[in-house]
Amino acid sequence: MATVWLALGADVRRRWQAMLALALLLGLIGGVALTAAAGARRTDTAYPRLLAWANASQLDIFPQGTGLTGYYTALAKLPEVGALGTGQLYQATLPASHATEVQFESSPDGILGTSVDRVKVLSGRRYDPARPGEAMVDQQMAAIEHLKPGDKVRVLGVPLNPKTGAADFTQAVTLRFTVTAIVAFDPQLVLAGGGDIEPTVLVSSPFAATPLASKLEVGDEAAVRLRPGASMSRFIADASALAARYRDTSRKVDVVNPASQVTAAEQAARPQAVALAAFAALASLIGLAALSQLLSRQLALDAADYPVLRAVGATRATLTGLSLARLAVITVAGAALAVAIAIAASPL
């Protein structure tokens, strides 16, 4: 029996280079396929994961008057509401160009941009909602005004003429805020216009309480995220019925559902995810075809020594076990290497 095991050991030592080469090839092909498959999954779920992280609102409620005199407080108490943040939008342009409008806004309750529709900080720090004079700007505003955290951002606040309702540039005021961060705004954070067409500035809450803010204000909103399982149609009906009890809302609200924006963003990423998944499947099939041929040839070469091993006493079961053990070593080592390659390549 000792002679049999010595013979088997010698056979394995002669074949270790071929086994190592097959394991490395399996690991390389498997690593490429796993990396592509993981990339496809991450790409396909990137936007939903971003919305979950940002605690993104599902509905925007726009009173035809204002909801800041009690309506939003009552709205937040509806059983369907999971989270609610309020926002005010102001008339503003870039100081050097009256033609370039700015999405200039604040959150009176300090929730919008921090807890609801949380912004993604690209550089700097998220502002303190309660500290006066702080602001977060998007990349477009930072590029136009050459801003970085710590700089002063300037906007030209333009009040509306009370008689005509048009922007009155003769009464315009230059406002300055300290930039704490360059951020990426979720599309649902934009209070009007949809998307990120205009450069955006979100200023801290104390500005909303100033007399100047009331002169510049052009509207306010509530960004609402519903509780899991809550009926959206029931909430909209309750919100409309509630508005009828508050005179300052003009007893009517407009409801904007940004689901189409979410769907468009998800669909925009879908082709990349599909391409990565297809590449992963193709790499797997090519690897399977190539490796199956190589493993079959290796087994055939190994079988050439079986008569010698049988002659020294090896049984058929022992030789079968030896073949399976070789395959197990190759596949387990290759699989471990594939996982390691995929993890290492994950940041890419």
Side-chain angles (χ1 to χ4, degrees), residues 253-276:
V253 295
D254 295 321
V255 180
V256 176
N257 185 347
S260 59
Q261 295 179 6
V262 175
T263 301
E266 292 177 343
Q267 289 178 346
R270 191 63 50 80
Q272 299 178 38
V274 171
L276 283 170

Side-chain angles (χ1 to χ4, degrees), residues 243-321:
R245 295 162 47 189
Y246 288 85
R247 183 178 59 184
D248 289 345
T249 64
S250 297
R251 307 189 189 279
K252 188 175 182 180
V253 295
D254 295 321
V255 180
V256 176
N257 185 347
S260 59
Q261 295 179 6
V262 175
T263 301
E266 292 177 343
Q267 289 178 346
R270 191 63 50 80
Q272 299 178 38
V274 171
L276 283 170
F279 175 77
L282 183 61
S284 299
L285 290 174
I286 292 174
L288 180 63
L291 287 169
S292 61
Q293 292 291 327
L294 291 174
L295 288 172
S296 297
R297 292 180 182 180
Q298 186 62 40
L299 288 175
L301 291 174
D302 294 342
D305 293 334
Y306 285 179
V308 177
L309 296 175
R310 290 291 299 274
V312 297
T315 64
R316 184 182 299 275
T318 300
L319 295 177
T320 301

Side-chain angles (χ1 to χ4, degrees), residues 53 113-114 118-121 124-128 136 180-181:
W53 171 86
T114 56
R118 186 183 296 121
V119 299
K120 182 176 179 61
V121 177
R125 62 168 178 84
R126 188 176 284 110
Y127 70 13
D128 182 348
M136 297 185 290
T180 66

Side-chain angles (χ1 to χ4, degrees), residues 167-181:
D168 186 357
F169 285 96
T170 63
Q171 302 296 321
V173 179
T174 300
L175 303 170
R176 293 176 176 83
F177 300 90
T178 301
V179 176
T180 66

Side-chain angles (χ1 to χ4, degrees), residues 1-23:
M1 189 65 180
T3 304
V4 173
W5 287 110
L6 288 173
L8 292 175
D11 180 69
V12 170
R13 286 192 295 272
R14 288 198 308 271
R15 305 293 185 185
W16 74 268
Q17 291 180 328
M19 294 170 61
L20 177 61
L22 287 171

Side-chain angles (χ1 to χ4, degrees), residues 18-276:
M19 294 170 61
L20 177 61
L22 287 171
L24 290 175
L25 183 59
L26 174 61
L28 180 60
I29 296 175
V32 171
L34 283 177
T35 301
R41 181 184 61 82
R42 290 168 64 178
T43 300
D44 193 44
T45 61
Y47 196 62
R49 285 186 288 111
L50 174 62
L51 294 181
W53 171 86
N55 198 30
S57 58
Q58 297 167 292
L59 292 170
D60 296 322
I61 309 297
F62 293 90
Q64 294 192 358
T66 179
L68 293 170
T69 56
Y71 172 68
Y72 293 147
T73 302
L75 188 68
K77 296 178 181 179
L78 290 179
E80 298 91 352
V81 175
L84 182 148
T86 60
Q88 268 187 320
L89 184 65
Y90 310 103
Q91 180 77 25
T93 66
L94 292 178
S97 173
H98 294 174
T100 304
E101 293 189 2
V102 175
Q103 199 79 18
F104 178 43
E105 54 193 298
S106 71
S107 177
D109 55 14
I111 293 177
L112 201 63
T114 56
S115 299
V116 175
D117 286 338
R118 186 183 296 121
V119 299
K120 182 176 179 61
V121 177
L122 305 177
S123 63
R125 62 168 178 84
R126 188 176 284 110
Y127 70 13
D128 182 348
R131 184 176 297 171
E134 292 191 344
M136 297 185 290
V137 303
D138 69 348
Q139 291 175 287
Q140 186 178 359
M141 186 70 179
I144 293 173
E145 295 293 295
H146 308 288
L147 298 171
K148 61 183 184 298
D151 289 346
K152 294 288 186 180
V153 60
R154 297 186 306 145
V155 294
L156 191 66
V158 185
L160 299 179
N161 188 304
K163 296 181 179 180
T164 64
D168 186 357
F169 285 96
T170 63
Q171 302 296 321
V173 179
T174 300
L175 303 170
R176 293 176 176 83
F177 300 90
T178 301
V179 176
T180 66
I182 311 300
V183 302
F185 290 96
D186 183 85
Q188 296 174 15
L189 182 60
V190 179
L191 304 184
D196 55 353
I197 299 174
E198 299 168 348
T200 302
V201 179
L202 179 65
V203 300
S204 52
S205 303
F207 179 77
T210 63
L212 180 59
S214 62
K215 295 180 181 179
L216 302 179
E217 183 187 358
V218 293
D220 55 69
E221 70 143 358
V224 179
R225 185 171 182 84
L226 302 180
R227 294 183 184 277
S231 170
M232 186 173 293
S233 59
R234 174 66 180 272
F235 168 74
I236 293 174
D238 289 347
S240 299
L242 186 64
R245 295 162 47 189
Y246 288 85
R247 183 178 59 184
D248 289 345
T249 64
S250 297
R251 307 189 189 279
K252 188 175 182 180
V253 295
D254 295 321
V255 180
V256 176
N257 185 347
S260 59
Q261 295 179 6
V262 175
T263 301
E266 292 177 343
Q267 289 178 346
R270 191 63 50 80
Q272 299 178 38
V274 171
L276 283 170

